[in-house]
Amino acid sequence: MSNTIDRRQFLRSSAMAAAIAAVHQRAFGSASALPQPKMTGIVWNKAPCRFCGTGCHVKVGVEAGKIVAIAGDEKAEVNKGLLCVKGYHVGGILYGEDRLTQPLIRRDGKLVPISWDSAITVIAERIAKNPKGFAFYGSGQWTVAEGYVAQKLMKGGLSNNHIEPNARLCMASAVTGFISTYGVDEPAGCYDDLDACDVVITWGNNPAEMHPVLFSRLIDRRSKGEKLQLIDLGTRRTRTTEHADHYIQFNPQSDLAIANCIAQQLIANDTYDKRFVEKFCAFRADPDPASLFGGPISFDDYKKSVAEYTPEYTAKISGVPVAQLKMLGKLFGTRGVKITSLWCMGMNQHTRGTAINRLVHGIHLLSGHWGTPGDAPTSLTGQPSACGTAREVGTLCHALPGGRIVAEKPHRRFCENHWNLPVGRINPKPGYHTITMWDKFCTPTAEGGDIDTLFVQVTNPGQSLPNLHKLYKAKEGLDDKFLVVSEIYPTATTELADLVLPASLWVEKNGIFGNSERRTQQWFKMVEPPGDARDDAWMTIAIARKLYDMGVEGMQDKSGRFLFHLETPDGKPYPVWNWDKYYNDEFNIDRALYEEYRGMTTWKNKDVAPYDELVKSRGLRWPVVQQSDGSWRETRFRFSEFDDPYVEKGKEIQFYHSTSKDDRAQIWFCPYEAPPEMPDETYPFWLCTGRVLEHWHTGTMTMRIPELRDAMPHTYVEMNPKDARELNLANGDIALLKSRRGEIQLPVWFGGRGTPPRGSVFVPFFDETLLINDLTLHDYCPVSKEPDYKKCAISIRKAPPEKAAETTPPPTP
Amino acid sequence: MPVAGLTITLAADEALASNAITEMSSQHEIVLGRVDGRYMAAVMDTPSPSRSRDLHGWIESLAGVDYLDVVYVGFDPDPPDAPAPQPPISSTLPSP
């Protein structure tokens, strides 16, 4: 009893110490030296949060092998001691009652236990039988090492490029936007821009719910008396709108017209930044069909192209009043004011995703609102290592580590040399992107479905893919298809899995993530995984080793050594495939794999920091360059001479990976085009999907945390109250939603957090019992191949009483 | 059950902020700490997650509170009244 009291008192003291430290940080801008209360048995260590791409650091308190406390890390520049509602419950994700603890194989329709060795053998035999029919599907939640070994197994070992991260579904348009504009991926600026800007524009973005710590950082500036204007450009009112000075509501897809309208006004009013454009920019447009790099055009061509996007013309397309469009044009034409644009899925999950990304970069470049702190176009990521693993390690089907691509011979040769592989091992043809990969897997082999074995790690495609009936559920009954799923809990994906592998989670393993602002963050294993759960990186290496033992040629390097040959510091080969030796005091495998990868990061000046520097820090933003005194310096603002060591002296701004090879960024013209599916008489409503504050993505983790699950127990359809009344729907009534692809019944909610305009509804996708992706469209951007989850046409009506009775009870708004 | 460390951003209006502090101090589950500028440290110690959520919402609703951030959560390993988490999917998995 007294232990309980002591412990509770300790938790209260720790909580107050953390709160005081955070108050000090916010009031005075530096961490307090207040000591953490001491209690025997509790060990604190640092880790990045497991959820979104913000990259907040948490302090993890472990006692007797279990996480007992989570605190915001006041030493972390990202979050300065703060966490969001998900972040402060992150420790609970390990302790859901239904954690998967043993490998399971489906026999006669039921999952039954199988040994690890047998499970690995089953996978290896499937791969060996048809290596070209094997595909690997991971995510932006893979640690760097996990993504790296998957990449190396597929591209370096099997000469097979059918590997994708789920980041194709969320960040691919940002990638193609950055590459086609600057010649290299990822934001030039960083979160410091949020502390320096005068105006923040959120483009179809709701950071108040999706990136709350970053939003809190903005609101905090207002609390200190700083003048900060917030302009919310969106298709529905959200919690972000509540804090906005201006809310600009536009018709779905018309963001392209708005961006072009800003450019039109900058030129027509002669307020664009001539000096900046002449020194640092070139112009470009898409040929037909669209391509990543397009073709050069002149300024006059560009001027002619945007000329039709007058405020009056754009108002007709977008529904935005002329006065608001002129306000935006005038704002970008004003020197001295610092403008930061933020976006996430609203711009990326878009059939014109690459185009709208290019256009937002373009208006910043054209207006010269670029390259000094506070003037920046900055994309935010939804996953903790979408940047670090999907983009930097290059786990997309066309990519190789460090910004390289499989289609380029010198890039392949570099990787083959780095991995000590024979020349020609890496296949020059890009693999299947996510939509095609799943389509091929869910299509009968006799009808051209040439993917027969698919390994899923760290993601839940059975819930998150669009058009689920076609791209996931069609797998059922295809007896020659084999789905392997590494997971922490039962999910919509394990429902159809043929083999389920129990995975370690977050601080149950060593790891490294890379966040939205190019910050690489490291943590150590702190607790043991439950039962027989194991690391995803180990699974991949163990499969490779089994293939090696079976004599599969690609599992050897050109010296005949195992593909994942690692040596201890004293030069002895290490049995990295042996789980009993995977963690030990003498040899850190995560460090060894990361250091092998690090050697591939300098070509595109993405120099990630040495592992040992990451251990000492709360993350470092690349390029991290060694100084003459031996220290390592991170880079906050890329391409700007005042901060980026790779910019030549006197250049001021240098886009040193320019696609036009002249150090210039590209200002693109991309026309507005109508979306592929629009409301009509049969399907008269727009459907937009997304997240909510309490749940992260498909809810696999957050639905196991009682506090988060109880706060938002199931999904709903958010409606405009006038539409609801017209359809005779009251709050809590069950509505039947139908699209051309599927139907679903959901409780109606209006007057809650968000308000869509008339003719439009919003549905969160976190609920695995109510799969909204049965309805969504799988049309995608022709360049990024990222599908559009934000716009499709549906019908809505009140569910018949007998059907409504079968549906989950409504939420209590 | 939950113990949470909070930073509360008080309203710029001193009278409203003062009223909010008075109201919060009347709640025995809230312990108020140091104030620096408009930021106040506090600890919330409640018997259940639902009470924690209600109190959180109540603090946010006070006119003298602009913003509420949680910076720390302590987990009780054996919460007396917490409902057992229900797996969202009743799958074909065998019992452990």
Side-chain angles (χ1 to χ4, degrees), chain A residues 435-458:
Chain A
I435 300 298
T436 304
M437 178 188 285
W438 283 97
D439 196 13
K440 294 283 186 184
F441 183 63
C442 292
T443 298
T445 308
E447 294 169 24
D450 59 2
I451 297 296
D452 63 17
T453 302
L454 212 158
F455 187 10
V456 175
Q457 285 188 334
V458 211

Side-chain angles (χ1 to χ4, degrees), chain A residues 745 797 799-807:
Chain A
Q745 292 185 79
R797 65 184 171 91
E802 69 277 10
K803 282 207 162 196
E806 299 164 6
T807 305

Side-chain angles (χ1 to χ4, degrees), chain B residues 17-18 57 66 79 86 93:
Chain B
S18 173
D66 269 4
Q86 297 299 311
L93 301 181

Side-chain angles (χ1 to χ4, degrees), chain A residues 510-716:
Chain A
N510 288 337
I512 292 171
F513 282 159
N515 82 344
S516 288
E517 58 162 357
R518 297 175 279 108
R519 184 184 293 273
T520 315
Q521 303 165 292
Q522 174 275 347
W523 75 92
F524 286 120
K525 176 178 176 176
M526 300 175 206
V527 295
E528 288 298 325
D532 216 359
R534 297 183 183 182
D535 290 25
D536 286 287
W538 173 83
M539 292 178 207
T540 304
I541 293 168
I543 292 165
R545 184 65 190 190
K546 189 67 76 176
L547 289 166
Y548 175 88
D549 292 342
M550 290 161 69
V552 173
E553 188 188 346
M555 295 304 114
Q556 291 185 12
D557 67 12
K558 65 183 179 191
S559 308
R561 298 180 310 188
F562 178 41
L563 184 68
F564 295 102
H565 176 85
L566 292 180
E567 291 180 355
T568 56
D570 56 357
K572 291 179 186 158
Y574 195 79
V576 64
W577 59 90
N578 183 340
W579 176 248
D580 292 336
K581 295 180 183 295
Y582 201 73
Y583 283 97
N584 67 87
D585 293 337
E586 286 80 44
F587 188 50
N588 179 340
I589 291 169
D590 208 47
R591 182 183 188 280
L593 291 168
Y594 173 80
E595 286 297 332
E596 181 182 306
Y597 155 68
R598 188 166 75 88
M600 308 174 93
T601 64
T602 55
W603 171 67
K604 279 254 179 177
N605 307 96
K606 297 185 174 195
D607 324 23
V608 293
Y611 187 90
D612 296 338
E613 293 299 310
L614 295 179
V615 169
K616 291 186 274 185
S617 71
R618 263 63 174 173
L620 291 167
R621 287 166 285 195
W622 56 260
V624 181
V625 178
Q626 193 162 31
Q627 307 298 288
S628 53
D629 64 359
S631 65
W632 295 83
R633 179 186 178 277
E634 66 169 353
T635 304
R636 295 178 304 150
F637 302 97
R638 274 201 303 168
F639 311 126
S640 293
E641 187 182 346
F642 72 90
D643 195 51
D644 185 340
Y646 287 113
V647 172
E648 293 167 33
K649 274 205 162 166
K651 290 268 188 182
E652 188 186 346
I653 285 175
Q654 184 183 15
F655 298 105
Y656 44 75
H657 288 293
S658 166
T659 58
S660 48
K661 315 284 183 202
D662 54 2
D663 290 342
R664 290 170 183 271
Q666 311 300 311
I667 296 176
W668 282 76
F669 171 69
C670 302
Y672 163 77
E673 285 173 11
E677 185 176 271
M678 294 177 75
D680 55 21
E681 276 189 17
T682 314
Y683 299 100
F685 284 86
W686 284 111
L687 166 66
C688 176
T689 67
R691 295 203 275 126
V692 291
L693 174 67
E694 293 85 354
H695 291 296
W696 193 72
H697 287 198
T698 60
T700 307
M701 292 181 284
T702 49
M703 285 291 269
R704 264 79 181 183
I705 298 170
E707 291 84 350
L708 299 176
R709 188 191 62 237
D710 294 349
M712 185 59 74
H714 53 80
T715 192
Y716 53 86

Side-chain angles (χ1 to χ4, degrees), chain A residues 322-556:
Chain A
V322 167
Q324 285 192 316
L325 292 167
K326 286 187 173 176
M327 183 267 287
L328 288 173
K330 188 175 173 189
L331 173 68
F332 274 93
T334 306
R335 298 280 97 74
V337 67
K338 303 255 184 193
I339 305 171
T340 289
S341 286
L342 294 178
W343 69 93
C344 198
M345 295 306 113
M347 271 175 41
N348 295 341
Q349 293 176 336
H350 198 310
T351 52
R352 299 276 288 146
T354 303
I356 183 61
N357 271 267
R358 288 167 174 167
L359 294 183
V360 172
H361 290 297
I363 55 175
H364 275 268
L365 292 163
L366 187 66
S367 61
H369 287 293
W370 205 100
T372 58
D375 263 336
T378 297
S379 76
L380 300 173
T381 44
Q383 298 185 83
S385 203
C387 287
T389 308
R391 295 160 76 166
E392 292 158 28
V393 175
T395 49
L396 294 148
C397 66
H398 66 282
L400 287 166
R404 296 173 179 84
I405 55 176
V406 296
E408 290 286 339
K409 193 173 177 180
H411 299 188
R412 296 195 303 276
R413 293 293 172 270
F414 174 89
C415 294
E416 286 159 356
N417 184 52
H418 190 79
W419 290 335
N420 192 34
L421 301 176
V423 169
R425 172 71 68 78
I426 298 173
N427 187 338
K429 188 180 171 192
Y432 291 146
H433 62 78
T434 295
I435 300 298
T436 304
M437 178 188 285
W438 283 97
D439 196 13
K440 294 283 186 184
F441 183 63
C442 292
T443 298
T445 308
E447 294 169 24
D450 59 2
I451 297 296
D452 63 17
T453 302
L454 212 158
F455 187 10
V456 175
Q457 285 188 334
V458 211
T459 186
N460 186 11
Q463 187 171 343
S464 60
L465 285 166
N467 195 4
L468 281 168
H469 288 293
K470 178 174 172 56
L471 296 180
Y472 187 71
K473 293 178 180 176
K475 184 263 176 192
E476 194 160 18
L478 300 181
D479 293 338
D480 64 335
K481 306 283 181 163
F482 195 80
L483 180 62
V484 184
V485 180
S486 162
E487 253 301 357
I488 51 171
Y489 291 109
T491 64
T493 309
T494 61
E495 287 282 282
L496 290 188
D498 299 288
L499 180 62
V500 176
L501 305 176
S504 311
L505 171 63
W506 192 43
V507 295
E508 293 166 352
K509 57 189 175 186
N510 288 337
I512 292 171
F513 282 159
N515 82 344
S516 288
E517 58 162 357
R518 297 175 279 108
R519 184 184 293 273
T520 315
Q521 303 165 292
Q522 174 275 347
W523 75 92
F524 286 120
K525 176 178 176 176
M526 300 175 206
V527 295
E528 288 298 325
D532 216 359
R534 297 183 183 182
D535 290 25
D536 286 287
W538 173 83
M539 292 178 207
T540 304
I541 293 168
I543 292 165
R545 184 65 190 190
K546 189 67 76 176
L547 289 166
Y548 175 88
D549 292 342
M550 290 161 69
V552 173
E553 188 188 346
M555 295 304 114
Q556 291 185 12

